[in-house]
Amino acid sequence: MRVLLTTVGSRGDVEPVVGLALALRELGAEVRVCAPPDEDFAALMARVGVPLVPLGPTVRSVVGGSQPPTMEDAFRLARELVAARFDTLGAAAEGCDVLLAAGLMPAGARDVAEKLGIRYVFACFQVFGLPSRHFPPGTWPGKRSPGDGTGKRVLWEQDAQRLNALYGEALNSHRSAIGLPPVDSVREHVFTDRPWLAADETLCPSQGMTDLDVVQTGAWILPDDRPLPDGLAAFLDAGAPPVYVGFGSMAALAPRDIGRVAIEAVRAQGRRVVLARGWAGLVPIDGADDCFVVGEVNQQALFGRVAAVVHHGGAGTTTTAARAGVPQVVLPQIADQPYWAARVAELGIGSAHDGPTPTFDSLSAALTPALTPATRARAKSVAGTIRTDGATVAAKLLLDGAGRDRPSRSA
């Protein structure tokens, strides 16, 4: 069977898809991935031998500047991505049996599958963004919703209208060009009524959380057996477990002075620091030997050797830390990150920082309970419930055509 996977977004949107690609290949499928041509992503796929078909602009060119993208940038990117999907996916999907789309609103993917007469699956990595009676929608560029007092049903209707304004014209224009009728709701069209949820059930339960009939496969985890760099390994061996601080693909959105604030707060706890440079380009605040800077590194190996993980609350980092049984301190910035912060706190496996911008005092207040023996014990306990077979579950569903059936807990 030939499978085409596509995603757009940060590392947290790409790595799970590569994990699924690897699981599919291990089951005998021919698979390729259409994703942004960032060097980080190309290196990730090269590491496991999965072909990358470049799709759209690099993510760094969009979010890696000193200022967040403007509303005009967002509308322009939406049009560009719709066009790129019709073009790139249209060619890459020839001869495929199924097309699975994830990441930033993949408008255009289902339409290519429809034109070619192949199966289409939409997958997401969290319930955030799926219509729900329990929580309001996130923020898309466009007309703002009224403040407090507006019911959730109305807010979700307005969310659908914003998505239509963002993607609808471009989507229907391209559909018309290939002989397909227009769609009324971009969101309903892209999501379908049975989206897949590639998230762990303990960390992100879907039962009753969305109005859609979700197929939850578990998180798609890409195994990583790379050794830690010699310098990092020596640093870890030289003392008590340090605290990891990293904000992944957050660049312009990373809190101002987060490096300085985090290092000072961690030092005040009597701990050393492993500082992840990330897209924000974090650097040490002095030449002291209690701070070690890392670039791209095997987090699966590293997190098991640290005292706590301070991060932005991406789905991938949250899941990796939870698997490692290490306490977390989450400083959520955008999108689904507040959701993951809340889950970490609810599960008792760490702290959720109040707001996106920490001070020394506020981060210290979040670190103190996270570094207690009780929180570490709770994190170790929850780690035992995190499933690691989600990518295999999803791969089997794709290959046997059983996407309409829910995977059993023993799948």
Side-chain angles (χ1 to χ4, degrees):
M1 180 176 284
R2 299 180 65 184
V3 180
L4 178 64
L5 310 177
T6 183
T7 187
V8 170
S10 67
R11 176 71 173 252
D13 296 294
V14 175
E15 184 166 326
V17 171
V18 180
L20 176 59
L22 186 61
L24 284 163
R25 195 176 62 185
E26 289 175 346
L27 292 174
E30 179 183 339
V31 59
R32 61 177 63 178
V33 176
C34 288
D38 293 75
E39 291 182 6
D40 299 10
F41 305 157
L44 176 67
M45 294 184 205
R47 195 177 90 210
V48 296
V50 174
L52 168 64
V53 179
L55 174 69
T58 65
V59 176
R60 282 214 187 200
S61 70
V62 177
V63 301
S66 58
Q67 297 294 327
T70 65
M71 186 178 298
E72 291 74 17
D73 294 333
F75 274 83
R76 181 173 61 253
L77 178 63
R79 293 191 298 270
E80 291 176 357
L81 288 176
V82 169
R85 291 190 182 103
F86 274 85
D87 182 24
T88 303
L89 298 184
E94 289 284 353
C96 289
D97 301 286
V98 60
L99 192 165
L100 180 143
L104 179 66
M105 184 58 63
R110 181 178 183 177
D111 317 276
V112 167
E114 183 180 348
K115 180 65 176 179
L116 296 176
I118 64 176
R119 186 168 163 225
Y120 166 80
V121 175
F122 168 75
C124 54
F125 305 122
Q126 68 283 320
V127 293
F128 180 86
L130 299 180
S132 174
R133 290 162 288 177
H134 301 283
F135 50 81
T139 302
W140 290 99
K143 183 179 179 181
R144 294 280 159 247
S145 293
D148 295 341
T150 303
K152 293 184 178 65
R153 182 183 62 80
V154 174
L155 290 176
W156 280 105
E157 290 174 355
Q158 293 167 348
D159 175 76
Q161 292 167 10
R162 280 192 291 272
L163 285 169
N164 281 348
L166 194 57
Y167 293 99
E169 182 178 354
L171 180 65
N172 282 327
S173 174
H174 284 278
R175 282 179 61 86
S176 177
I178 60 174
L180 297 177
V183 298
D184 295 327
S185 172
V186 172
R187 190 181 69 198
E188 292 179 8
H189 177 70
V190 171
F191 286 0
T192 75
D193 58 357
R194 286 183 62 78
W196 289 15
L197 175 60
D200 184 78
E201 191 171 340
T202 296
L203 298 176
C204 184
S206 63
Q207 186 72 29
M209 292 304 295
T210 173
D211 299 337
L212 301 179
D213 192 11
V214 171
V215 176
Q216 186 159 13
T217 65
W220 300 344
I221 297 169
L222 177 64
D224 194 343
D225 58 3
R226 294 173 297 162
L228 296 175
D230 291 341
L232 175 57
F235 178 80
L236 295 170
D237 291 340
V243 171
Y244 171 94
V245 176
F247 289 85
S249 302
M250 297 289 99
L253 293 172
R256 184 179 179 184
D257 294 333
I258 181 58
R260 177 186 59 77
V261 171
I263 291 171
E264 291 177 351
V266 171
R267 283 174 171 171
Q269 298 285 334
R271 298 282 182 170
R272 301 179 300 155
V273 182
V274 172
L275 186 67
R277 187 176 300 110
W279 286 14
L282 301 184
V283 295
I285 59 176
D286 54 37
D289 62 2
D290 66 344
C291 183
F292 191 94
V293 180
V294 296
E296 206 284 310
V297 70
N298 181 350
Q299 291 184 340
Q300 294 173 20
L302 174 58
F303 284 3
R305 299 194 60 184
V306 301
V309 174
V310 179
H311 65 101
H312 57 298
T317 308
T318 303
T319 302
T320 302
R323 280 187 64 212
V326 60
Q328 308 180 46
V329 177
V330 184
L331 283 69
Q333 303 300 304
I334 59 170
D336 60 317
Q337 296 166 11
Y339 170 82
W340 294 108
R343 285 300 295 158
V344 164
E346 288 165 4
L347 289 167
I349 60 176
S351 304
H353 184 269
D354 185 12
T357 306
T359 63
F360 172 84
D361 290 338
S362 67
L363 185 52
S364 295
L367 273 167
T368 299
L371 290 169
T372 63
T375 302
R376 175 162 284 274
R378 175 60 179 165
K380 289 288 186 184
S381 175
V382 170
T385 71
I386 307 298
R387 295 186 63 175
T388 60
D389 62 345
T392 299
V393 170
K396 289 178 178 178
L397 284 175
L398 279 179
L399 295 184
D400 65 17
R404 292 182 298 275
D405 300 324
R406 296 184 182 279
S408 68
R409 290 298 296 163
S410 61

